[in-house]
Amino acid sequence: MKPHLPVRQAAIAAGIALSLSCSAAFAADASQRVVVTAARAPQTPDQLVADVVVIDAEQIARAGPVGLAELLQRHAGAELSATGGPGQVSGVFLRGTNTNHVVLLIDGVRVNSATTGTNALEHIPLQQIERIEVLRGPASSLYGADAIGGVIQVFTRTVNGITAKASAGSDRLRELNAGVGRVNGDTSWSLHAGALDVKAFSATNERNLFSFNPDDDPYRNASLNARVLHQWAQGHRITLRGLATRAATHFDAGAVSDDINRQRLSSLALESDDRLSETWRSQLRLARGSDHSRSEGAFPSTFDTDQDQLTWQNDLKFGAADLIAGAEWRRERVTSDTAYTQTSRRVASAFGGMRWSADALQLEGSLRTDRNSQFGTHTTGRIGAGYALTPHWRLTAAAGTAFHAPSFNDLYFPLTFGFSGNPELKPERSRGVDAALRYSSDGTTLSIGAFHNRITDLIAVDPTFSTVINVNRARIRGTTLAAGHRSGIWRADFEWTHQDPRDAATGNLLVRRARNHGRVGASVDIGPVRAGADLHASDARFDSAANLAATRMGGYGVLTLHAHYAVTPEFGIGARILNATDKRHEIAQGYNTAPRQYVVSVDMALP
């Protein structure tokens, strides 16, 4: 099956046309938006050296009932890995790196499985999210282990007033969300709850030789997000916030069993934010992130991860220089019916960063040391520079190192059927560079960027299939072209990535990663009506490291249509058609993807 070249060419042409054709423009709000993930401190977009994508509340609302991984595929230049429909295991390849090469933060708190080393993106409801910041590129110098591909930070929703939304659609989808929030003097509070129930299609198909079961695989998710903030003095505030989700996913582990994974994710944090002087801000956070998973069926199991986290960060300003200095402590604990040889480890970290600006030039750097009780000390760094060529054109460049810590499965999995973990594993290491040329003026943005990343000591199964070892190397390089335009009633944006993600030893493409992928979207607001379309597309990929012809998955393009009508300022009706052309395609071999689906919704917002 040949790649869908016409789809790719059409997407590129449509994106450029939509982004550049409108002549009337208006001043966008981007200059006022603040980004915090790039440098662990507030920055406006015109100050950024790093490659950051912000997914705002409007884009999240337009997405409909899709998962977080699918949203990142549409708006953050990520590639998707998914083993079926709603609730099935999902991940993203950021800049061609592995799915476990990204740090996921929920309001600054790590919530991931220490046993698998991955993030349960599929169980974080979009209705609980206010904004997402995606930092692309090596970022261990600020965030520690696993940030080889970048960092995804989710900021949970804060309600001011009363909101409610109900949705229904294909596969008997039913979703209900409601929230309330108030400000009382120096204290504000917010509470938002949601529930989703969908009788999803079978996760697997006949190409899955070991797990295929033709039955439906329903998914249910209930979530709660709460925040209380109190300002006890001018410049001093304390915040208690938390997010909890409980999911039940039917999945396929063979033809004779009904298998269910019950998973609970939660983050709870107590934060103190204190402005000690005009030049010194101190932030202290005590938090716990948890990922608890229990499987029922053919292979019952229990895997629970709890991460206790303490972070102290200081933001300092000296003239044209902004400094950060901080320390972190984290304890990972595993509880399981699998008898791991070790069930806990500790990480103590110190980090610092500097940003210096003078006229058109900006310089920045960061350095971090992580001491892990399992494999010792690891130090990473990053330097970058930005230069404003004109008031509208800006050139940036950066270089950094990063690493990925082996998971408990990699290190401590007990001997089972001749296979066991390897406690002598070293962290995976990477060195990356990137550069970009960006343009911004009156609602129009353009950028072209290039990146190159070399990863060594990649963990892989050894030739005897008895353990895992540090053996593989990868080389990932690519370019990204992006454009966006807001003009009057129109909004359009486009991004396309051409990359070469390869195993450095064999020259083969990395598993499930394409040479070309991207998206184009456009929307129009006419009075109370907002409507638009999004198309994301990908080249062919392979589902095996050997790039076997039998595992080749063809290219595809998937179209989503959306519309919303504001009946009154407080009440609206929306509709979406997902995979509008009913395109049959594969994300992972042997696993199904969604056919054409319809969703309608009603929403309300009161002060």
Side-chain angles (χ1 to χ4, degrees), residues 248-267:
T249 310
H250 291 247
F251 67 99
D252 294 335
V256 297
S257 62
D258 183 20
D259 302 276
I260 305 175
N261 180 53
R262 303 186 187 277
Q263 195 159 357
R264 292 186 293 115
L265 304 178
S266 64
S267 68

Side-chain angles (χ1 to χ4, degrees), residues 251 253 257-262 293-303 336-338 413:
F251 67 99
S257 62
D258 183 20
D259 302 276
I260 305 175
N261 180 53
R262 303 186 187 277
S293 175
R294 287 167 175 76
S295 293
E296 305 168 2
F299 304 100
S301 62
T302 298
F303 296 97
S336 175
D337 53 6
T338 297
F413 198 83

Side-chain angles (χ1 to χ4, degrees), residues 58-249:
E58 181 182 344
Q59 292 169 313
I60 295 170
R62 292 204 312 260
V66 300
L68 176 56
E70 289 88 347
L71 182 73
L72 295 169
Q73 180 193 35
R74 294 184 188 180
H75 295 290
E79 293 180 271
L80 175 65
S81 174
T83 57
Q88 305 298 330
V89 176
S90 301
V92 292
F93 304 114
L94 203 58
R95 278 194 174 178
T97 61
N98 292 343
T99 57
N100 58 2
H101 287 168
V102 61
V103 170
L104 172 67
L105 301 174
I106 300 177
D107 293 323
V109 180
R110 283 190 181 231
V111 180
N112 66 286
S113 169
T115 54
T116 63
T118 57
N119 306 292
L121 301 178
E122 62 274 10
H123 299 316
I124 302 176
L126 295 189
Q127 295 294 336
Q128 297 288 8
I129 301 175
E130 181 74 29
R131 185 177 90 259
I132 303 168
E133 293 180 3
V134 183
L135 170 58
R136 301 187 292 194
S140 287
S141 62
L142 289 174
Y143 294 98
D146 308 331
I148 288 178
V151 176
I152 299 167
Q153 180 151 208
V154 169
F155 297 89
T156 54
R157 187 172 182 179
T158 299
V159 180
N160 186 13
I162 300 173
T163 66
K165 184 175 182 178
S167 301
S170 304
D171 292 332
R172 297 202 314 222
L173 180 144
R174 294 169 294 174
E175 185 175 20
L176 180 63
N177 292 272
V180 59
R182 287 289 183 261
V183 177
N184 303 107
D186 293 328
T187 302
S188 63
W189 60 272
S190 171
L191 184 68
H192 190 270
L196 170 68
D197 190 342
V198 54
K199 187 180 180 181
F201 50 87
S202 175
T204 58
N205 56 49
E206 294 87 347
R207 298 186 71 181
N208 193 314
L209 301 179
F210 302 102
S211 302
F212 175 55
N213 188 329
D215 66 335
D216 289 336
D217 288 314
Y219 175 62
R220 295 188 302 278
N221 183 298
S223 60
L224 180 67
N225 166 36
R227 189 200 75 160
V228 179
L229 183 151
H230 177 66
Q231 181 171 292
W232 56 273
Q234 184 67 34
H236 300 269
R237 63 185 185 184
I238 188 166
T239 306
L240 177 65
R241 69 173 87 238
L243 170 69
T245 73
R246 182 188 295 268
T249 310

Side-chain angles (χ1 to χ4, degrees), residues 339-350:
Y340 289 93
T341 55
Q342 296 286 337
T343 57
S344 68
R345 64 183 177 189
R346 296 173 303 281
V347 183
S349 311

Side-chain angles (χ1 to χ4, degrees), residues 351-554:
F351 61 89
M354 179 275 294
R355 290 182 292 130
W356 179 83
S357 299
D359 298 325
L361 177 66
Q362 181 176 349
L363 302 175
E364 64 177 39
S366 54
L367 187 70
R368 179 177 174 122
T369 296
D370 294 270
R371 182 172 180 80
N372 188 296
S373 61
Q374 195 281 323
F375 55 76
T377 301
H378 210 86
T379 300
T380 51
R382 184 178 182 276
I383 57 173
Y387 185 76
L389 303 172
T390 73
H392 303 298
W393 288 95
R394 192 161 183 262
L395 181 66
T396 62
T401 60
F403 74 103
H404 165 68
S407 70
F408 276 72
N409 284 353
D410 294 331
L411 294 165
Y412 308 125
F413 198 83
L415 183 63
T416 305
F417 299 112
F419 181 89
S420 65
N422 178 4
E424 302 302 319
L425 285 175
K426 298 180 294 184
E428 299 174 340
R429 299 175 294 118
S430 80
R431 295 177 180 270
V433 296
D434 60 72
L437 179 64
R438 300 182 176 96
Y439 171 84
S440 178
S441 176
D442 294 331
T444 297
T445 59
L446 296 169
S447 70
I448 181 168
F451 57 89
H452 189 282
N453 201 351
R454 288 187 178 272
I455 308 173
T456 57
D457 291 329
L458 278 168
I459 297 169
V461 177
D462 80 332
T464 67
F465 295 95
S466 61
T467 189
V468 285
I469 57 176
N470 295 104
V471 63
N472 281 5
R473 295 178 294 118
R475 183 203 68 224
I476 305 168
R477 56 192 177 191
T479 57
T480 298
L481 174 66
H485 194 74
R486 294 188 179 192
S487 175
I489 62 175
W490 290 97
R491 171 175 173 170
D493 58 298
F494 160 81
E495 180 172 295
W496 195 261
T497 298
H498 173 73
Q499 62 182 8
D500 191 34
R502 294 191 181 273
D503 184 312
T506 66
N508 292 332
L509 286 173
L510 298 178
V511 174
R512 298 179 185 173
R513 271 149 282 191
R515 295 290 306 277
N516 296 280
H517 65 91
R519 66 169 296 275
V520 58
S523 63
V524 60
D525 293 328
I526 305 176
V529 177
R530 182 181 68 237
D534 290 281
L535 172 69
H536 65 271
S538 174
D539 254 353
R541 292 135 292 119
F542 291 93
D543 207 30
S544 69
N547 288 186
L548 299 176
T551 67
R552 186 177 184 275
M553 300 179 292

